[in-house]
C-alpha cells in the first residue's frame, strides 16, 4: 500500500505536478462488464451509464419523455443526467481533411432504469463499459477518428479494449487531463494551426428567448463549423431543485429595491408541494468549442446565452459537467423546455449488417455517415436526379467508393494551359486512379447513356486494362437467340427461369412492334414445342454456310474450325459431334423450328380445338420475329468476363426503340445469368459472393408493361446472389409501380425547386402510385426533405427511415467524373 502511494505520487508529479488536481479530474476507477457501467469514484461509488441518442434514420425526433422521467425518477437521489453534444474530427484523406466530423449526442446518468428506458424508446441499448470509455474520450476532446477504406467503418486511434488492464487508471486519467487541458490552453497548438480556432470554454447563463417551434434547432447547431462539446447538466431531483429554489428565494431578499425579483422567487414555493414533483429543473450549460465566430449562431440555434470563461485554472478544466459544475451559474428551467434538448438527429452507427458498407460521406448536419444497401428491405436502389442536380458526381462517386478507388493528382499535369496537351496532341489527365482496393471484391456492370461516365471508365481502364471491359460491339452484328435456354437434366425440362425470361422478351418485342404480347395458352404451346424438339432432337439447325451468310458469327465459325477442323460449308450444326460440349447455345431449336412444329400441330385434325387455336396464334406471332437476324437465330459467344463492365447504350438507341429495349434486356440477362452462376459457386461452398452493382441510366426508357415480369423475377432473385440493381432517371413518374415495390432504397437528389419536387416524392417514397395516400411517417420524410434540402445532397429512404448523404468530391474527383462528349469525341 505504501509502495503504491509512493508510486502514485511519483507518477503524478512527473506529469506537471497535478497531484491535487487529479482528485477532482475525471478518472476511471473501475468498470462492470455485466452491469454495462464504469465507476468514477474510488471504492466503485455510483455506477455511470450511458446511451447515445441515435436512430436508424437521421430524421430529427424529439424524445417527448422528459416529463415522464421527472415523474418516475424525480424522488431518487440519482435524478439527474448530463447531455453532451460532441463533434470530433474525421480524417478521410489529404483531399478531404475538413470534410465532415464524427458527431454524437450522449446522455450520461447514474440511474440505470432511466437510461434503459430511453434506450428502449430509441430501439437501442445502453453502452457497454468500453463504449462508455470511448464516449468519455469524445467528451474529453481526445478522440480523432479516421475512415477505414476497407470496411467503411468509423474507428478511433485510441483502443479502449485494454483499459481494464490498467488497474491504477493512470493511463486514462493522464490522457484525459492532457487532452482537454491542451485543447483549451496550449497556445502553440491551435486547431489546424489557426489561432482563431483554438478551443475556449464558454458558460451558459440562460435562455436567449422564449421557446418556439423553431428553437432549439439541434440540426442547425451541428451544421455549424465547430469542434468540441456542449454539455447540458440537468438536475431534476425533487429535493435538490426545492433546495435550490429556496436558496435563490432567500438570496432574492437582498434585492429590496427590485420587488419583481423578490416576488418572482417567492412564488416558486406555490409550485412545490410535498406530494408533487417540481415543475422546474436546475440547468447548467458548458461549451468547449474551437470557433468563437460560430458561437453566436450556435447560441441562436440552441437558444442559450454564453459568455467566455477567460480566467480559469487547470482544476476548472479537469472538472467535467459529469462530476461537477459551477453552481453559481445554475439556472432554472421548465421541465417542458429541457425536453426540447433531448433529441435524436443522427443515424445509429452501431447498425449491424452482414455486408460491408457501400458508400460514405456526411449527412445534412455535417456528420460522418455510412450506408449499405443491405440495410434496406431490398438490395436494390433507384435515383431521381433532376437536371443539374449533381447526378453524375453522386453516382460516379458512389461507384468509386464501392470499388475503393483512390483518385490522386496526376504528377504529369501542369496548370499552365499550353502544357496540358501532351506530345500526342491529347489532353494530359489532371487526375489518375492510383488504386482500387475493392475492385474484384465488388464488381460493377454499368449501362451508360450520353457518355456521362466515359472519362471515368477510360482512366479506370488505363489503370486496370485486363479487369475493365468497355463493350463496343458492332451493332450490325448483335445476335441474341431467344431459344438460348438451358436444359435442366434433373427435372428433364427447360430451365424455368430461362424459359420465363425468353417468353417475356418475345412478348416485349411483339409489344414494341405494336402487336399483342403472348397469352398464357400461347406460352404453354411454345414451351411444349421447345421441350419436344429438344428431347427428340427433331431439328436440324443451320448449315455452316447459312451461319456465315447471316453474319455476326465470325468468332463462332473460327472456334468451330479450331476445335473440329475444316468442314464443308453444307455441314449441318446438328451433324457436328461434340458441338454441344463446346457451344451448347448452337444445339437448341430455333424460333423457326418452333414455328414449324406449332403450324403442324394446328393442322393436325387430332389436336383439340383450344390447343389448335393457341398453337396457330403462337405460330403467327413467332413468325413476325423468327427471321430477324438479331433475335431469330443463335446467341453469340459469351461476353468476356471482367470486374468492371461498361457499355454505352447511345449507339444501340440509334437502332430504334423497337430494337433498343429488347437488346438491352438480352445483354442484361446474359450478364446476369453469368453472375448468378458465379454466385451460386460461392454459395455452394458456404462463401459470400462478391457484391455486384448493376447501374442502369435513364430508366424511363424501360417503362413498358412487358418489362414488369422481367424485372420482377430478376429483382426478387438477385438478393440471394448479392446483386444490387440501381435505376437512374429524372422523374418518379418514369417508374412502374411494381419496380418501385421491389426496390428498397429510394434516393432523390434535390432540385432548385424543392416544394414542387416534394409533390413528386409522394409517389416515389410511398406506394409508387400517383396521388397515393401517405402514411404519417412518410409525411415527416417529405417535410424533412423540404426543410433541410441542400444541392448535391442525396436523400435516401430505406427500411429504417430517411438519411442524407453528401459524398466528398475533390478537384481530382470533379475532373475525372465530368465527361464532356464533344471533348471526348475529339480525343478518341
Amino acid at each position: 500500500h505504501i509502495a503504491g502511494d509512493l508510486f502514485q505520487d511519483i507518477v503524478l508529479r512527473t506529469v506537471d505536478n497535478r497531484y491535487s488536481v487529479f482528485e477532482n479530474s475525471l478518472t476511471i476507477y473501475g468498470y462492470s462488464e455485466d452491469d454495462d457501467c464504469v465507476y468514477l469514484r474510488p471504492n466503485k461509488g455510483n455506477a455511470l451509464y450511458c446511451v447515445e441518442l441515435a436512430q436508424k434514420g437521421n430524421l430529427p425526433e424529439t424524445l417527448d419523455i422528459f416529463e415522464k422521467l421527472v415523474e418516475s425518477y424525480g424522488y431518487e437521489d440519482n435524478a439527474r443526467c448530463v447531455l453532451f453534444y460532441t463533434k470530433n474530427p474525421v480524417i478521410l484523406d489529404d483531399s478531404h481533411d475538413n470534410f465532415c466530423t464524427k458527431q454524437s449526442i450522449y446522455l450520461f446518468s447514474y440511474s440505470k432504469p432511466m437510461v434503459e428506458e430511453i434506450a428502449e424508446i430509441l430501439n437501442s441499448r445502453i453502452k457497454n463499459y468500453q463504449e462508455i470509455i470511448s464516449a468519455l474520450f469524445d467528451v474529453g476532446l481526445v478522440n480523432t477518428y479516421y475512415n477505414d477504406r476497407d470496411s467503411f467503418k468509423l474507428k478511433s486511434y485510441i483502443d479502449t479494449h485494454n483499459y481494464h488492464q490498467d488497474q491504477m487508471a493512470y493511463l486514462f486519467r493522464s490522457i484525459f487531463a492532457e487532452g482537454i487541458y491542451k485543447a483549451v490552453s496550449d497556445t502553440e497548438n491551435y486547431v489546424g494551426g489557426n489561432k482563431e480556432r483554438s478551443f475556449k470554454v464558454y458558460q451558459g447563463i440562460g435562455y436567449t428567448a422564449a421557446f418556439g417551434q423553431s428553437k432549439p434547432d439541434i440540426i442547425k447547431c451541428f451544421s455549424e463549423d465547430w469542434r468540441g462539446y456542449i454539455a447540458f447538466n440537468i438536475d431534476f431531483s425533487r429535493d435538490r431543485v426545492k433546495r435550490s429554489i429556496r436558496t435563490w428565494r432567500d438570496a432574492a431578499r437582498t434585492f429590496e429595491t427590485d420587488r419583481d425579483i423578490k416576488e418572482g422567487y417567492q412564488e416558486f414555493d406555490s409550485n412545490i408541494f410535498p406530494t408533487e414533483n417540481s415543475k422546474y429543473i436546475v440547468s447548467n450549460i458548458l461549451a468547449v468549442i474551437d470557433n468563437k465566430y460560430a458561437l453566436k449562431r450556435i447560441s441562436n440555434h440552441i437558444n442559450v446565452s454564453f459568455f467566455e470563461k477567460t480566467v480559469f485554472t487547470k482544476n476548472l478544466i479537469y472538472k467535467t459537467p459529469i462530476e461537477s459544475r459551477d453552481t453559481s451559474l445554475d439556472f432554472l428551467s421548465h421541465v417542458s423546455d429541457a425536453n426540447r434538448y433531448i433529441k435524436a438527429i443522427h443515424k445509429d452507427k452501431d447498425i449491424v449488417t452482414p455486408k460491408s458498407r457501400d458508400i460514405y460521406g456526411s449527412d445534412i448536419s455535417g456528420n460522418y455517415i455510412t450506408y449499405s444497401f443491405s440495410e434496406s428491405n431490398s438490395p436494390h436502389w433507384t435515383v431521381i436526379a433532376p437536371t443539374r442536380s449533381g447526378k453524375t458526381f453522386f453516382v460516379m462517386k458512389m461507384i468509386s467508393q464501392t470499388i475503393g478507388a483512390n483518385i490522386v493528382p496526376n504528377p504529369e499535369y501542369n496548370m499552365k494551359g499550353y502544357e496540358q496537351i501532351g506530345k500526342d496532341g491529347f489532353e494530359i489527365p489532371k487526375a489518375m486512379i492510383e488504386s482500387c482496393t475493392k475492385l474484384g471484391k465488388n464488381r460493377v456492370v454499368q449501362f451508360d447513356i450520353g457518355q456521362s461516365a466515359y472519362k471515368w471508365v477510360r482512366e479506370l481502364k488505363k489503370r486496370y486494362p485486363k479487369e475493365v471491359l468497355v463493350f463496343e460491339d458492332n451493332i450490325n452484328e448483335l445476335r441474341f437467340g431467344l431459344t438460348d435456354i438451358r436444359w435442366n437434366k434433373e427435372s428433364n425440362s427447360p430451365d424455368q427461369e430461362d424459359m420465363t425470361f425468353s417468353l417475356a422478351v418475345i412478348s416485349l418485342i411483339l409489344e414494341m412492334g405494336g402487336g399483342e404480347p403472348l397469352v398464357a395458352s400461347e406460352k404453354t404451346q411454345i414451351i411444349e414445342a421447345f421441350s419436344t424438339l429438344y428431347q427428340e432432337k427433331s431439328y436440324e439447325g443451320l448449315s455452316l454456310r447459312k451461319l456465315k451468310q447471316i453474319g455476326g458469327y465470325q468468332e463462332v465459325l473460327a472456334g468451330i474450325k479450331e476445335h473440329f477442323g475444316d468442314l464443308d460449308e453444307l455441314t449441318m450444326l446438328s451433324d457436328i459431334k461434340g458441338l454441344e460440349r463446346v457451344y451448347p447455345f448452337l444445339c437448341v431449336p430455333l424460333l423457326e423450328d418452333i414455328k414449324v412444329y406449332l403450324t403442324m400441330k394446328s393442322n393436325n385434325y387430332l389436336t383439340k380445338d383450344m390447343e389448335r387455336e393457341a398453337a396457330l396464334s403462337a405460330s403467327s406471332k413467332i413468325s413476325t420475329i423468327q427471321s430477324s437476324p438479331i433475335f431469330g437465330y443463335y446467341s453469340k459467344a459469351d461476353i468476356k468476363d471482367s470486374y468492371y463492365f461498361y457499355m454505352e447504350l447511345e449507339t444501340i438507341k440509334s437502332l430504334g426503340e423497337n430494337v433498343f429495349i429488347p437488346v438491352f434486356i438480352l445483354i442484361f440477362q446474359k450478364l446476369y445469368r453469368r453472375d448468378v452462376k458465379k454466385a451460386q459457386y460461392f454459395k455452394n461452398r458456404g462463401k459470400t459472393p462478391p457484391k455486384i452493382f448493376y447501374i442502369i441510366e435513364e430508366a424511363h426508357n424501360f417503362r413498358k408493361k412487358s418489362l414488369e415480369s422481367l424485372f420482377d423475377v430478376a429483382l426478387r432473385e438477385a438478393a440471394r446472389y448479392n446483386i444490387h440493381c440501381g435505376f437512374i432517371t429524372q422523374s418518379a413518374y418514369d417508374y412502374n409501380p411494381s419496380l418501385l415495390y421491389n426496390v428498397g432504397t429510394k434516393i432523390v437528389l434535390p432540385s432548385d425547386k424543392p416544394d414542387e419536387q416534394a409533390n413528386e416524392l409522394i409517389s416515389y417514397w410511398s406506394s409508387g402510385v400517383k396521388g397515393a395516400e401517405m402514411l404519417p411517417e412518410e409525411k415527416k420524410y417529405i417535410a424533412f426533405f423540404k426543410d433541410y434540402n441542400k444541392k448535391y445532397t442525396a436523400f435516401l429512404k430505406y427500411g429504417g427511415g430517411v438519411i442524407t448523404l453528401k459524398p466528398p468530391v475533390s478537384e481530382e474527383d470533379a475532373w475525372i467524373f465530368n465527361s464532356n462528349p464533344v471533348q471526348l469525341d475529339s480525343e478518341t
Side-chain angles (χ1 to χ4, degrees), residues 203-208 211 231-235 241 244-245 248 265 268 280-286 302-306 325-334 337 341:
Q203 180 71 55
I205 58 175
Y207 297 123
T208 59
F211 285 90
F232 293 80
N233 194 315
I234 304 172
D235 193 334
V241 171
S244 296
I245 290 176
W248 289 322
Y265 277 105
F268 284 131
Y280 301 93
I281 61 166
V282 174
S283 298
N284 194 292
I285 304 173
L286 189 73
I302 64 176
N303 204 34
V304 173
S305 178
F306 289 97
R325 66 179 188 264
D326 186 347
T327 57
S328 65
L329 291 163
D330 285 347
F331 58 94
L332 283 173
S333 301
H334 286 281
D337 292 340
Y341 291 95

Side-chain angles (χ1 to χ4, degrees), residues 4-5 7-9 11-13 15 18-30 39-42 133 136-137 140 142 163 166-181 318 320:
D5 288 341
F7 177 72
Q8 181 183 29
D9 188 70
V11 170
L12 295 178
R13 288 184 184 281
V15 287
R18 285 174 286 158
Y19 181 86
S20 60
V21 174
F22 269 112
E23 292 304 313
N24 294 319
S25 68
L26 184 58
T27 303
I28 303 296
Y29 285 91
Y39 300 99
L40 303 183
R41 284 289 178 260
I133 293 176
L136 291 173
F137 271 33
V142 291
Y163 283 118
D166 184 15
Q167 296 179 359
M168 296 185 69
Y170 296 133
L171 176 63
F172 180 80
R173 67 170 71 178
S174 177
I175 290 178
F176 183 87
E178 286 286 354
I180 191 158
Y181 181 70
Y318 295 150
T320 69

Side-chain angles (χ1 to χ4, degrees), residues 551-593:
Y553 294 102
Q554 292 87 339
E555 294 179 3
V556 175
L557 291 168
I560 291 175
K561 181 178 181 179
E562 179 183 349
H563 286 90
F564 305 101
D566 289 320
L567 300 175
D568 188 277
E569 287 189 344
L570 298 178
T571 302
M572 304 298 292
L573 293 175
S574 56
D575 293 334
I576 303 176
K577 295 182 180 180
L579 183 64
E580 187 173 6
R581 175 178 51 83
V582 181
Y583 293 123
F585 60 90
L586 295 177
C587 301
V588 295
L590 295 175
L591 285 180
E592 184 177 4
D593 298 315

Side-chain angles (χ1 to χ4, degrees), residues 105-264:
I105 302 178
Y106 298 115
L107 188 144
F108 294 92
S109 178
Y110 292 110
S111 174
K112 184 177 184 180
M114 183 181 72
V115 175
E116 287 180 327
E117 187 171 339
I118 296 173
E120 184 178 356
I121 292 172
L122 291 171
N123 194 25
S124 182
R125 58 175 178 80
I126 64 174
K127 290 188 171 294
N128 61 41
Y129 79 95
Q130 293 172 341
E131 293 169 331
I132 295 176
I133 293 176
S134 181
L136 291 173
F137 271 33
D138 278 349
V139 171
L141 307 181
V142 291
N143 259 359
T144 301
Y145 294 87
Y146 71 99
N147 179 47
D148 180 350
R149 290 182 176 275
D150 290 333
S151 61
F152 295 128
K153 292 182 179 179
L154 202 63
K155 294 186 177 181
S156 170
Y157 278 126
I158 304 171
D159 182 7
T160 61
H161 290 274
N162 296 320
Y163 283 118
H164 63 280
Q165 298 175 5
D166 184 15
Q167 296 179 359
M168 296 185 69
Y170 296 133
L171 176 63
F172 180 80
R173 67 170 71 178
S174 177
I175 290 178
F176 183 87
E178 286 286 354
I180 191 158
Y181 181 70
K182 196 170 188 179
V184 298
S185 64
D186 189 350
T187 56
E188 296 180 358
N189 188 31
Y190 306 124
V191 179
N194 183 355
K195 184 176 181 180
E196 300 298 334
R197 292 299 299 268
S198 59
F199 285 87
K200 291 181 172 61
V201 181
Y202 302 91
Q203 180 71 55
I205 58 175
Y207 297 123
T208 59
F211 285 90
Q213 281 189 332
S214 61
K215 289 186 180 180
D217 193 329
I218 310 302
I219 283 188
K220 287 185 178 179
C221 173
F222 272 111
S223 66
E224 297 293 345
D225 182 19
W226 61 278
R227 309 289 185 273
Y229 73 73
I230 303 173
F232 293 80
N233 194 315
I234 304 172
D235 193 334
F236 55 94
S237 164
R238 177 190 178 280
D239 291 336
R240 286 196 296 271
V241 171
K242 185 176 181 179
R243 285 197 301 269
S244 296
I245 290 176
R246 285 178 176 171
T247 299
W248 289 322
R249 184 201 59 188
D250 293 340
R253 291 174 180 170
T254 62
F255 294 91
E256 295 292 343
T257 59
D258 196 329
R259 186 168 299 176
D260 290 339
I261 293 178
K262 181 185 294 185
E263 292 178 354

